[in-house]
Amino acid sequence: MTLPDAQTVTSVKHYTDRLFAFRVTRPQSLRFRSGEFVMIGLMGDNGKPLLRAYSIASPSWDEELEFYSIKVPDGPLTSRLQHIQPGDQIILRPKPVGTLVHDALLPGKRLWLFATGTGFAPFASLLRDPDTWDKYDQVIMTHTCREVAELTYGREIVESLKGDELIGEMVGDKLVYYPTTTREQSPKMGRITTLIESGEVFRDIGIPPLDPAVDRAMVCGSLAFNLDIKALLEKAGLREGANSDPAEFVVEKAFVGDGV
Ligand SMILES: Cc1cc2nc3c(=O)[nH]c(=O)nc-3n(C[C@H](O)[C@H](O)[C@H](O)COP(=O)(O)OP(=O)(O)OC[C@H]3O[C@@H](n4cnc5c(N)ncnc54)[C@H](O)[C@@H]3O)c2cc1C
Ligand SMILES: NC(=O)c1ccc[n+]([C@@H]2O[C@H](COP(=O)([O-])OP(=O)(O)OC[C@H]3O[C@@H](n4cnc5c(N)ncnc54)[C@H](OP(=O)(O)O)[C@@H]3O)[C@@H](O)[C@H]2O)c1
């Protein structure tokens, strides 16, 4: 490819028939804040780039860039992207943006990261960022998926943290990992929204209910999920923040549409 925005795939790992992760070379000039997204893609059949928004799943200090992706069978991009191999090239527009960043939250004591499905991707970046562990006394990572196998990528990231040379000591006992499934049996079943409403998640972790003086939250899932969590956070007195106006929680869509 002769495009200036071409990057080379360095590794690919498939998790299920719907999910995979891959790593690419990082443009030397690319600076981003953990949690942001960029446009990536492939050259379309019409000779024009076919680009989609993707959260950068690797932390800002990483030499490479990692992405965690859905495979939509007839999706214009992912029907092809799912076949990439090391050595292949993808297009990456080096203009990172997004609201799931520490700058958009006011200081707090406890950080909730609420993800469904591929919404885990921005948190894979934030969990590996020393700032996350520097800023908070406790970090609660919730991940709700339909099936157990869909939790694997997130679980691997979480399990790698304690042994991580850079942040292992900072993580210490600050991390609570709270995976749940909705359509396959697992140790914790149910939508996280239901578990918040019933108070079960707070009893499980052994902490008081959401409190705007203490709790901060980042949310990434389907539109329906984001709206439901937002309503629960607002009911508890937390306000939505933005880069220009930091507050108690921030939200970003994991994808556009109702699902395939
Ligand atoms: C801010 C932002 C960040 C994103 N980050 C990621 C990411 O890190 N990883 C990722 O896989 N996708 C991410 N997406 C979705 C991504 O941009 C594409 O939609 C996805 O790659 C599918 O592309 P496509 O061309 O194959 O199908 P599209 O035509 O884009 O999508 C077809 C349909 O598939 C469904 N769909 C698309 N993406 C997903 C998904 N991730 N999970 C469940 N259903 C989906 C939707 O119903 C959509 O209408 C993000 C989207 C936004 C807006
Ligand atoms: N995951 C699969 O095995 C699978 C397989 C084939 C096709 N698909 C298609 O792919 C699309 C995306 O599927 P996905 O599983 O990645 O994403 P998803 O439909 O957004 O579901 C991901 C998780 O979020 C939960 N959830 C959805 N809406 C919620 C809300 N409003 N509040 C709280 N929790 C909510 C779901 O629980 P619920 O289960 O209770 O909805 C599920 O556990 C779907 O349209 C689906 O038809 C999925």
Side-chain angles (χ1 to χ4, degrees), residues 18-20 37-39 50-57 67-81 116-119 121-122 220 252-260:
R18 294 182 64 248
L19 295 168
F20 71 116
F37 68 88
V38 286
M39 302 300 291
L50 174 57
L51 301 173
R52 291 287 185 269
Y54 268 81
S55 296
I56 302 175
F67 297 98
Y68 178 50
S69 179
I70 190 88
K71 303 174 198 175
V72 182
D74 53 357
L77 179 64
T78 57
S79 60
R80 293 175 51 209
L81 191 69
T116 58
T118 58
C220 191
E252 197 138 79
K253 281 197 282 289
F255 60 92
V256 179
D258 295 332
V260 279

Side-chain angles (χ1 to χ4, degrees), residues 39-53:
M39 302 300 291
I40 66 168
L42 296 170
M43 192 53 86
D45 295 335
N46 60 1
K48 289 185 185 162
L50 174 57
L51 301 173
R52 291 287 185 269

Side-chain angles (χ1 to χ4, degrees), residues 18 70 116-118 144-147 150 180-183 191-194 221-222 224-226 228 255 258-260:
R18 294 182 64 248
I70 190 88
T116 58
T118 58
T144 301
C145 293
R146 295 176 176 207
E147 295 167 12
E150 295 169 333
T180 82
T181 56
T182 50
R183 304 199 192 187
R191 290 181 164 195
I192 190 67
T193 43
T194 312
S222 64
F225 172 72
N226 288 1
D228 286 354
F255 60 92
D258 295 332
V260 279

Side-chain angles (χ1 to χ4, degrees), residues 35-37 54-55 99-100 112-124 126 141-145 192 217-227 229-230 233 249-255:
E36 288 186 315
F37 68 88
Y54 268 81
S55 296
T99 54
L100 302 179
W112 292 81
L113 303 172
F114 293 110
T116 58
T118 58
F120 190 90
F123 304 139
L126 282 153
M141 177 72 241
T142 85
H143 191 196
T144 301
C145 293
I192 190 67
M218 295 189 181
V219 180
C220 191
S222 64
L223 179 60
F225 172 72
N226 288 1
L227 290 173
I229 282 271
K230 184 176 147 96
L233 294 171
F249 75 92
V250 281
V251 177
E252 197 138 79
K253 281 197 282 289
F255 60 92

